Amino acid sequence: MVSKKSAPVRPVEDDAAPADPLFNQSLEKGLAVLHAFDGAHRTMTLAEVAARAGMSKASAQRTVHTLQVLGYVGKHEQTRRFQLRPKIMDIGFNYLASHPLVQVANPYLAQLANASGETASLTEPVELDMLYVAQRVTSQFIPVSTPVGMRIPMYCTSSGRAWLSSLPTEEARAMLQRSRREARTPATLTNVNAILARVAACRKLGYAYNAEELFLGDMGIAAPIIDGKGRALGAVHVAPPTSRWSLEAAQKKLAPMVIECARAISSAISH
């Protein structure tokens, strides 16, 4: 799996009194430790955990010990380095299992995957990213693994642009300006006005696209899911690889399927 560049989580000041009297700093530290683990940091020493979580070693020791007792963190048998335990999956699974959009969307994603022959995914916005919350994979080869739970940036993805198309232009512009618009590939658009032009095109056409802007060999065709109040809840997209599709062919054949799927989910979620 290809993931975003790893960065330390937000520092947790051990001695700083939170402005909110109801804010639980111990819980914040626990979550900071859990977030410190990722694809580039699968196992860590206590000192590494403390550095990644932005806390003192003593505070990290107490937090890690508590998470060990609860079963969310353990030690690798050979290296004795800390790592996440399978129990952590309970939290994410419970979110997906209770998510009304995921429950409604699943049969429509299956239809889209069968009709298109390509993997169909559902994403929703989280900060400046889109989060995979459901997916139907086909037997066709895909060059990049993008599993449920993975986050991808809005600015250079079809699903992100589809969701941004539901916002007023200035609100979309503000979000793009806050994004770290890195050139992920030679094709990545990083100029805000250029990206907004793609977002505006989505408003007219009903779908957004990207062509090898996030991953080489990978494209995206997406459409927004809109609730009964006109709010975008997320986006549906397919990921046709360049080994099987040209952008023109994908837009001609796949875009109508994606738009139809998004409209069906939008209608179902509104009732």
Side-chain angles (χ1 to χ4, degrees):
M1 182 183 74
V2 180
S3 61
K4 299 187 299 180
K5 289 182 179 179
S6 176
V9 297
R10 185 175 70 85
V12 178
E13 297 293 340
D14 291 332
D15 300 321
D20 185 346
L22 295 179
F23 188 86
N24 190 315
Q25 197 171 26
S26 294
L27 177 57
E28 181 190 27
K29 292 175 183 177
L31 293 174
V33 166
L34 295 178
H35 278 286
F37 293 90
D38 59 20
H41 302 84
R42 294 183 176 89
T43 67
M44 290 187 285
T45 65
L46 184 61
E48 290 169 340
V49 170
R52 288 272 302 161
M55 62 179 70
S56 69
K57 190 173 180 179
S59 183
Q61 185 177 36
R62 292 191 297 271
T63 304
V64 168
H65 174 74
T66 301
L67 292 170
Q68 275 187 279
V69 172
L70 295 175
Y72 294 108
V73 171
K75 281 188 176 182
H76 190 279
E77 290 184 3
Q78 280 75 43
T79 66
R80 308 304 294 168
R81 291 164 64 90
F82 293 104
Q83 61 183 14
L84 295 179
R85 299 292 298 155
K87 189 177 179 181
I88 193 68
M89 292 296 293
D90 290 347
I91 300 172
F93 175 78
N94 289 340
Y95 174 72
L96 296 178
S98 62
H99 198 315
L101 180 57
V102 171
Q103 304 309 311
V104 169
N106 269 321
Y108 297 103
L109 291 177
Q111 292 174 10
L112 176 58
N114 289 335
S116 68
E118 300 297 343
T119 295
S121 302
L122 172 69
T123 60
E124 66 178 3
V126 179
E127 298 169 338
L128 300 173
D129 296 329
M130 299 299 288
L131 172 72
Y132 282 83
V133 292
Q135 188 175 80
R136 286 303 178 104
V137 180
T138 70
S139 60
Q140 295 272 34
F141 167 78
I142 51 176
V144 180
S145 174
T146 52
V148 170
M150 183 176 177
R151 287 168 65 157
I152 53 176
M154 286 183 186
Y155 73 93
C156 63
T157 57
S158 60
S159 58
R161 291 170 182 170
W163 186 79
L164 288 170
S165 73
S166 70
L167 304 179
T169 298
E170 290 310 308
E171 187 175 341
R173 180 187 296 276
M175 294 189 71
L176 290 172
Q177 289 174 335
R178 294 200 306 272
S179 301
R180 293 183 59 188
R181 300 181 307 279
E182 302 172 317
R184 299 300 188 98
T185 76
T188 308
L189 292 182
T190 58
N191 178 271
V192 170
N193 288 332
I195 299 170
L196 284 174
R198 295 284 180 87
V199 172
C202 179
R203 294 192 186 103
K204 294 180 180 180
L205 299 172
Y207 73 92
Y209 71 91
N210 92 76
E212 298 190 281
E213 293 187 56
L214 182 60
F215 304 117
L216 292 175
D218 180 69
M219 296 186 292
I221 304 289
I225 297 172
I226 309 296
D227 70 8
K229 297 181 180 180
R231 299 172 300 187
L233 302 179
V236 168
H237 80 269
V238 293
T242 58
S243 60
R244 285 194 297 274
W245 295 85
S246 67
L247 177 60
E248 293 74 19
Q251 289 174 306
K252 182 178 181 179
K253 183 175 181 180
L254 299 180
M257 297 181 188
V258 172
I259 292 172
E260 181 181 359
C261 179
R263 287 176 177 170
I265 297 172
S266 298
S267 177
I269 201 73
S270 298
H271 291 88

